[in-house]
Structures are given as structure tokens and as C-alpha cells.
Amino acid sequence: MTNTSSSGEMVYVEHKKDINGFPKVILREVRGCSAEVYLHGAQVTSWKNEHGEELLFLSSKAIFKPPKAIRGGIPICFPQFGNHGSLEQHGFARNRTWTVDPDPPPFATISHNKAFIDLILKPSEEDAKIWPHRYEFRLRITLGPGGDLMLTSRIRNTNIDGKSFTFTFAYHTYFSVTDISEVRVEGLETLDYLDNLKNKERVTEQGDAITFESEVDKTYLSTPTKIAIIDHERKRTFVLRKDGLPDAVVWNPWDKKAKAIPDFGDDEYKHMLCVEAACVETPITLKPADNLTHKWYSKAVKVQLSGCISCTGLYCSLDLVLSVNSCQNIFCWRAESSLPELSI
Ligand code: BG6
């Protein structure tokens, strides 16, 4: 794969088709990091570090076309997380073909990132029948110069009848891990969670390190903005940072359920862990945007609405930043200085 144009310049954003003809976009950075995004679901399916090592899990049985969501990477759950509502599981956004915005608005805060793509989803007539709202969902996927992967969702209510809408949401990130029994998650100890395996019963985590030896499907509530996933065998720590997304879902199907999922290999559960930045317990309510929408990306507007659990107008901003490093020290991943700015 060539990383340079015929004139020898770095190609930061490349539009391609996969071997089956499905459109995808490759983002690259000078140090050799890369990310791959399918227009189907606006789904990131690959994120590699500068050594070319894959950091996200993608099932060998993944299907890359509608009406199935791609099994792995980072599916977008919108406008419903899981079965918290009457729509299909995890909403329809992950099953739609998104369009590329060829002329995206400039960054509000960080202007030096070159490897980014904006994908847009608007309701089709069919979608409007099952979820009767107008909206514009802009997903900006950025590969930072240091290899960090940043996803920003800007969702606007464009209803003309003045009605608000309410939704739940998740970045359903599948991390690639060497051996699930050697993985520890930090940042969720002592929190309350809904146990999705026990009819969403509310339980308090007992404060022990979070490790894995059987199926897990938990929605942790009101979590810190930073969570670490430590892969001891690989000596690698993923740091997940989020904004506007108070909850975090932790999922691994383990052996029995893995066998029951058609697009998932029987033993693949050993090499993945989903830790999902989410908003589940308290849905987001978004009022219609007003005529200030041309300022959509201005910093002033972002600051005015920051936090936006219950957005009061214009748009809702939901941010995720994933970083990876080889240090497993808790003080290291909690330190602010080594991480990029959250808001893009
Ligand atoms: C998780 C849910 O987010 O996604 C689980 O908490 C669910 O309950 C899992 O099984 C996978 O969902 P799907 O629809 O992609 O098979």
C-alpha cells in the first residue's frame, strides 16, 4: 500500500474500495499509524499503531454490507443503545450507509490534524417512519499526529415542528486484546452498574480490580471521563477518554454466547473486549436547532453547550479519544499531560 502521492507527498486521507467493492476511507499519519473507516455504519474497522499492529478487534466472520452491522471496530449505536426502546438493537445508524462531507467545516480547536474525515447521516423516508425526527448526524473521525483516534459526534435536531427528540448512544469500541483472562479494566471499581445479564438489575461493584473469567454485560453508571484497559500479556494500555457520555458498557460474550452469534468466531471472545463510551441511563434530549446553526462549529457555541447531557439547543457533542501506550502504571495513564486535547 502506498502512503505517498505520485508527487511524493504524504496521503493523509485515501478513498478506496475493499475487495468486495465496499467503499472505505484510510486515514494515515506520518509516523505510520493508520485507521480505516467504512461508509457502511461510518464504522472504524481498523486502528493501527506506528508498528502496524492492529489495536481494534474485527471478527473473521464480519459482514461488511447492510442490513448487518460490521462485527468489530467501533459501531455507532444511535438513536438507541441496546434494547432500551422500540427500535432494532443498538439503533439503525450502524446499518446505514453514511455520506462523506467533501467540504467539512474547520476544526474549532485543533487545526493541525490532517488525517480526518467527516461522515454524515440524515434520515431516509424509511427511517422517518420508525423514528419520526429530522436530524443531521456529523461524525468526525480523526487520526491525531501521535496516533490517537478521535471520534466526535455532532448531532443536530432539524425538526421543523419545534419538537425535541430523545436518544441513547454508544461508541461500541471492540478492543483487540491478547488474552481476555490477562486483561484488567481500571476506572470503574466501586461504581454502580446495570447488569444486562440479570434484567438490568442495579448492582454496586465491590472495588476489586475488574478482570474477566466469564460472560460480562454491564452498563457502569456515571463513570469517570477516563478508563484504562490494560493488556498485561502485550504490555499495552489503552486509555479511553470521553465527553458528554456518562456511562460505560463492558461486554464480552464468552464461549457459549460466542457460538450463538453467527458473525463471530467460536474462540474470538478470547481476543476482544468491548468498553463502550455511552449514554444509556439518562437519555439525551435535544431541542431543535435555531438559525444560529451556521456557527455550528464555532468554539463559542461548543463552550456554551459543553457537558450537554441535556442539550439545550443547536447541537449535541459526544467525544471519544483513544490512546495507547506501553506503560501499565496507573499514575501514568491518569496523568493529563501525556494525552491529547479531548475536544476536536
Ligand atoms: C453490547 C450489549 O453493547 O452489545 C450486549 O450490552 C450485546 O447486550 C452486545 O449483546 C452485542 O450486540 P450486537 O447487537 O452487536 O450483537
Side-chain angles (χ1 to χ4, degrees), residues 68-69 71 75 77 81-82 89-90 94 172 174 196 217-219 249-251 257 261 263 274 276:
K68 277 292 308 168
R71 175 73 61 195
C77 304
F81 174 78
Q89 159 99 341
H90 288 329
R94 64 177 182 160
H172 195 309
Y174 287 77
N196 298 319
D217 190 352
K218 298 176 176 179
T219 303
V249 179
V250 177
W251 179 65
K257 194 146 294 163
I261 304 176
D263 57 347
C274 286
E276 311 167 32

Side-chain angles (χ1 to χ4, degrees), residues 195-250:
D195 192 339
N196 298 319
L197 299 177
K198 293 189 183 150
N199 213 12
K200 303 189 176 71
E201 184 189 327
R202 197 178 178 116
V203 185
T204 303
E205 196 63 77
Q206 290 310 302
D208 300 334
I210 295 170
T211 52
F212 301 90
E213 52 190 28
S214 59
E215 181 183 1
V216 57
D217 190 352
K218 298 176 176 179
T219 303
Y220 288 89
L221 306 172
S222 305
T223 68
T225 53
K226 273 201 241 175
I227 299 168
I229 297 103
I230 298 157
D231 180 340
H232 289 289
E233 204 161 311
R234 183 64 59 90
K235 296 193 172 33
R236 176 186 281 163
T237 299
F238 294 103
V239 181
L240 177 160
R241 293 198 305 144
K242 58 193 178 67
D243 190 23
L245 296 162
D247 306 322
V249 179
V250 177

